[in-house]
Amino acid sequence: MSDSKQMLFARNLICVCIDDNKDADYQGLIYHQYADEPISFNGIASMILEMENLFDEWDFPQRGLAERKFDKKKENHKRPVSETGDDRLKIEIISDTHGVRNVQNKKGKLGTFVIQVVYRQDASWQGHVIYQEDNEKLDFNSALELIKIIDRAVTK
């Protein structure tokens, strides 16, 4: 089994479908394994924010740094245990509740990228991306590097 096939079964797998390039910024859809409906984005910054929101919702991969807020309320940074006493990871509970869908068959008009963020450390992301049109697997060490990979692939 090739490396590109191995990562297609990660818990936090996301498929980004780039459909358009307006005003030098990309538009498209984000698919993930726990919902039928995609999340649309209008610009690369919107894409990054939507993905970050999903990771926060799933609590996976966990943040390397706590989000800073200008709020006087103190927050408990321990992983919460559900009211039922379930100590599983939040993403495991979401997976069991919503089931898992196949995202690898989605296609964007300009490009399709299957992304696995492995770590959220140093205030950025580290992980792997497959550019499906070329079946090319690349590693990235920051969200900016991921954006550059997407931009290079789409503008070939």
Side-chain angles (χ1 to χ4, degrees):
M1 185 178 279
S2 71
D3 289 339
S4 61
K5 296 295 181 191
Q6 289 180 21
M7 85 163 233
L8 295 176
F9 301 102
R11 291 179 178 170
N12 61 331
L13 199 66
I14 290 178
C15 182
V16 173
C17 298
I18 307 290
D19 291 327
D20 203 0
N21 182 2
K22 291 182 185 171
D23 301 323
D25 210 353
Y26 299 113
Q27 291 78 38
L29 300 171
I30 298 169
Y31 292 91
H32 64 87
Q33 302 173 104
Y34 308 112
D36 292 322
E37 296 301 315
I39 301 167
S40 66
F41 63 90
N42 188 18
I44 207 79
S46 172
M47 179 195 83
I48 295 292
L49 289 172
E50 292 292 348
M51 290 173 65
E52 185 76 7
N53 289 339
L54 283 172
F55 299 145
D56 286 342
E57 180 183 323
W58 299 338
D59 195 27
F60 190 86
Q62 292 183 332
R63 288 180 177 267
L65 299 171
E67 185 176 20
R68 296 179 74 182
K69 296 181 181 180
F70 295 103
D71 194 347
K72 293 182 181 181
K73 296 178 188 174
K74 293 188 177 188
E75 294 185 22
N76 183 0
H77 294 288
K78 293 180 183 176
R79 189 176 88 190
V81 176
S82 73
E83 293 174 11
T84 61
D86 195 341
D87 64 348
R88 294 179 296 160
L89 293 173
K90 192 171 183 182
I91 196 164
E92 291 174 339
I93 296 169
I94 291 170
S95 174
D96 289 347
T97 304
H98 299 287
V100 178
R101 288 137 186 92
N102 182 3
V103 296
Q104 62 188 350
N105 60 355
K106 308 299 182 191
K107 296 286 181 205
K109 293 175 185 171
L110 299 180
T112 309
F113 302 87
V114 178
I115 301 167
Q116 178 193 14
V117 175
V118 179
Y119 304 106
R120 292 194 296 168
Q121 297 176 343
D122 302 322
S124 198
W125 301 346
Q126 299 80 40
H128 318 286
V129 59
I130 292 178
Y131 175 45
Q132 282 194 330
E133 282 71 11
D134 289 351
N135 198 27
E136 180 181 16
K137 180 182 176 188
L138 300 165
D139 297 330
F140 58 90
N141 292 310
S142 69
L144 178 60
E145 195 174 333
L146 173 62
I147 292 168
K148 288 179 179 180
I149 289 169
I150 290 171
D151 189 53
R152 277 192 303 265
V154 172
T155 58
K156 277 185 182 179

PDB file of all heavy atoms in Angstrom, residues 1-14:
ATOM      1  N   MET A   1       0.849  -1.179   0.000  1.00  0.00           N
ATOM      2  CA  MET A   1       0.000   0.000   0.000  1.00  0.00           C
ATOM      3  C   MET A   1       0.890   1.237   0.000  1.00  0.00           C
ATOM      4  O   MET A   1       1.826   1.322   0.769  1.00  0.00           O
ATOM      5  CB  MET A   1      -0.897  -0.015   1.237  1.00  0.00           C
ATOM      6  CG  MET A   1      -1.894   1.117   1.265  1.00  0.00           C
ATOM      7  SD  MET A   1      -2.981   1.037   2.705  1.00  0.00           S
ATOM      8  CE  MET A   1      -4.147  -0.167   2.145  1.00  0.00           C
ATOM      9  N   SER A   2       0.605   2.199  -0.849  1.00  0.00           N
ATOM     10  CA  SER A   2       1.435   3.392  -0.948  1.00  0.00           C
ATOM     11  C   SER A   2       1.190   4.326   0.228  1.00  0.00           C
ATOM     12  O   SER A   2       0.175   4.246   0.904  1.00  0.00           O
ATOM     13  CB  SER A   2       1.149   4.122  -2.258  1.00  0.00           C
ATOM     14  OG  SER A   2      -0.129   4.708  -2.199  1.00  0.00           O
ATOM     15  N   ASP A   3       2.151   5.234   0.437  1.00  0.00           N
ATOM     16  CA  ASP A   3       2.023   6.209   1.515  1.00  0.00           C
ATOM     17  C   ASP A   3       0.766   7.051   1.356  1.00  0.00           C
ATOM     18  O   ASP A   3       0.101   7.380   2.317  1.00  0.00           O
ATOM     19  CB  ASP A   3       3.244   7.136   1.558  1.00  0.00           C
ATOM     20  CG  ASP A   3       4.479   6.419   2.056  1.00  0.00           C
ATOM     21  OD1 ASP A   3       4.316   5.383   2.732  1.00  0.00           O
ATOM     22  OD2 ASP A   3       5.590   6.885   1.777  1.00  0.00           O
ATOM     23  N   SER A   4       0.443   7.420   0.121  1.00  0.00           N
ATOM     24  CA  SER A   4      -0.716   8.284  -0.104  1.00  0.00           C
ATOM     25  C   SER A   4      -2.013   7.588   0.289  1.00  0.00           C
ATOM     26  O   SER A   4      -2.948   8.229   0.705  1.00  0.00           O
ATOM     27  CB  SER A   4      -0.775   8.747  -1.556  1.00  0.00           C
ATOM     28  OG  SER A   4      -0.888   7.651  -2.428  1.00  0.00           O
ATOM     29  N   LYS A   5      -2.088   6.294   0.171  1.00  0.00           N
ATOM     30  CA  LYS A   5      -3.292   5.564   0.563  1.00  0.00           C
ATOM     31  C   LYS A   5      -3.370   5.407   2.078  1.00  0.00           C
ATOM     32  O   LYS A   5      -4.442   5.377   2.629  1.00  0.00           O
ATOM     33  CB  LYS A   5      -3.330   4.191  -0.096  1.00  0.00           C
ATOM     34  CG  LYS A   5      -3.430   4.248  -1.601  1.00  0.00           C
ATOM     35  CD  LYS A   5      -4.730   4.856  -2.034  1.00  0.00           C
ATOM     36  CE  LYS A   5      -4.810   4.868  -3.542  1.00  0.00           C
ATOM     37  NZ  LYS A   5      -5.908   5.655  -4.051  1.00  0.00           N
ATOM     38  N   GLN A   6      -2.247   5.330   2.746  1.00  0.00           N
ATOM     39  CA  GLN A   6      -2.251   5.127   4.184  1.00  0.00           C
ATOM     40  C   GLN A   6      -2.880   6.285   4.942  1.00  0.00           C
ATOM     41  O   GLN A   6      -3.564   6.087   5.921  1.00  0.00           O
ATOM     42  CB  GLN A   6      -0.830   4.895   4.689  1.00  0.00           C
ATOM     43  CG  GLN A   6      -0.271   3.562   4.281  1.00  0.00           C
ATOM     44  CD  GLN A   6       1.118   3.358   4.774  1.00  0.00           C
ATOM     45  OE1 GLN A   6       1.564   3.995   5.711  1.00  0.00           O
ATOM     46  NE2 GLN A   6       1.841   2.459   4.139  1.00  0.00           N
ATOM     47  N   MET A   7      -2.645   7.504   4.509  1.00  0.00           N
ATOM     48  CA  MET A   7      -3.162   8.634   5.260  1.00  0.00           C
ATOM     49  C   MET A   7      -4.639   8.893   5.027  1.00  0.00           C
ATOM     50  O   MET A   7      -5.239   9.692   5.690  1.00  0.00           O
ATOM     51  CB  MET A   7      -2.344   9.894   4.997  1.00  0.00           C
ATOM     52  CG  MET A   7      -2.733  10.676   3.779  1.00  0.00           C
ATOM     53  SD  MET A   7      -2.075  12.319   3.854  1.00  0.00           S
ATOM     54  CE  MET A   7      -3.546  13.245   3.581  1.00  0.00           C
ATOM     55  N   LEU A   8      -5.245   8.205   4.091  1.00  0.00           N
ATOM     56  CA  LEU A   8      -6.641   8.450   3.784  1.00  0.00           C
ATOM     57  C   LEU A   8      -7.611   7.942   4.846  1.00  0.00           C
ATOM     58  O   LEU A   8      -8.798   8.104   4.707  1.00  0.00           O
ATOM     59  CB  LEU A   8      -6.987   7.834   2.426  1.00  0.00           C
ATOM     60  CG  LEU A   8      -6.270   8.443   1.238  1.00  0.00           C
ATOM     61  CD1 LEU A   8      -6.620   7.693  -0.041  1.00  0.00           C
ATOM     62  CD2 LEU A   8      -6.594   9.911   1.097  1.00  0.00           C
ATOM     63  N   PHE A   9      -7.118   7.366   5.900  1.00  0.00           N
ATOM     64  CA  PHE A   9      -7.985   6.835   6.937  1.00  0.00           C
ATOM     65  C   PHE A   9      -7.748   7.509   8.282  1.00  0.00           C
ATOM     66  O   PHE A   9      -8.009   6.944   9.312  1.00  0.00           O
ATOM     67  CB  PHE A   9      -7.799   5.322   7.053  1.00  0.00           C
ATOM     68  CG  PHE A   9      -8.106   4.626   5.760  1.00  0.00           C
ATOM     69  CD1 PHE A   9      -7.097   4.199   4.925  1.00  0.00           C
ATOM     70  CD2 PHE A   9      -9.413   4.439   5.352  1.00  0.00           C
ATOM     71  CE1 PHE A   9      -7.376   3.572   3.723  1.00  0.00           C
ATOM     72  CE2 PHE A   9      -9.713   3.817   4.151  1.00  0.00           C
ATOM     73  CZ  PHE A   9      -8.689   3.384   3.340  1.00  0.00           C
ATOM     74  N   ALA A  10      -7.283   8.741   8.272  1.00  0.00           N
ATOM     75  CA  ALA A  10      -7.035   9.486   9.500  1.00  0.00           C
ATOM     76  C   ALA A  10      -8.344   9.994  10.093  1.00  0.00           C
ATOM     77  O   ALA A  10      -9.334  10.185   9.387  1.00  0.00           O
ATOM     78  CB  ALA A  10      -6.102  10.656   9.208  1.00  0.00           C
ATOM     79  N   ARG A  11      -8.349  10.236  11.391  1.00  0.00           N
ATOM     80  CA  ARG A  11      -9.549  10.727  12.080  1.00  0.00           C
ATOM     81  C   ARG A  11      -9.955  12.122  11.637  1.00  0.00           C
ATOM     82  O   ARG A  11     -11.119  12.468  11.673  1.00  0.00           O
ATOM     83  CB  ARG A  11      -9.299  10.793  13.589  1.00  0.00           C
ATOM     84  CG  ARG A  11      -9.160   9.485  14.240  1.00  0.00           C
ATOM     85  CD  ARG A  11      -8.894   9.717  15.701  1.00  0.00           C
ATOM     86  NE  ARG A  11      -8.802   8.446  16.374  1.00  0.00           N
ATOM     87  CZ  ARG A  11      -8.394   8.309  17.603  1.00  0.00           C
ATOM     88  NH1 ARG A  11      -8.037   9.353  18.304  1.00  0.00           N
ATOM     89  NH2 ARG A  11      -8.345   7.135  18.153  1.00  0.00           N
ATOM     90  N   ASN A  12      -8.968  12.925  11.308  1.00  0.00           N
ATOM     91  CA  ASN A  12      -9.254  14.324  11.005  1.00  0.00           C
ATOM     92  C   ASN A  12      -9.004  14.648   9.534  1.00  0.00           C
ATOM     93  O   ASN A  12      -8.571  15.737   9.197  1.00  0.00           O
ATOM     94  CB  ASN A  12      -8.403  15.231  11.891  1.00  0.00           C
ATOM     95  CG  ASN A  12      -6.926  15.041  11.670  1.00  0.00           C
ATOM     96  OD1 ASN A  12      -6.475  13.974  11.305  1.00  0.00           O
ATOM     97  ND2 ASN A  12      -6.164  16.078  11.893  1.00  0.00           N
ATOM     98  N   LEU A  13      -9.322  13.726   8.686  1.00  0.00           N
ATOM     99  CA  LEU A  13      -9.102  13.896   7.256  1.00  0.00           C
ATOM    100  C   LEU A  13     -10.064  14.937   6.688  1.00  0.00           C
ATOM    101  O   LEU A  13     -11.262  14.905   6.965  1.00  0.00           O
ATOM    102  CB  LEU A  13      -9.322  12.560   6.558  1.00  0.00           C
ATOM    103  CG  LEU A  13      -8.717  12.409   5.181  1.00  0.00           C
ATOM    104  CD1 LEU A  13      -7.204  12.449   5.259  1.00  0.00           C
ATOM    105  CD2 LEU A  13      -9.171  11.106   4.576  1.00  0.00           C
ATOM    106  N   ILE A  14      -9.515  15.848   5.887  1.00  0.00           N
ATOM    107  CA  ILE A  14     -10.309  16.903   5.268  1.00  0.00           C
ATOM    108  C   ILE A  14      -9.984  16.923   3.781  1.00  0.00           C
ATOM    109  O   ILE A  14      -8.831  16.822   3.388  1.00  0.00           O
ATOM    110  CB  ILE A  14      -9.999  18.264   5.911  1.00  0.00           C
ATOM    111  CG1 ILE A  14     -10.556  18.295   7.333  1.00  0.00           C
ATOM    112  CG2 ILE A  14     -10.562  19.410   5.081  1.00  0.00           C
ATOM    113  CD1 ILE A  14     -10.277  19.570   8.079  1.00  0.00           C
TER     114      ILE A  14
END
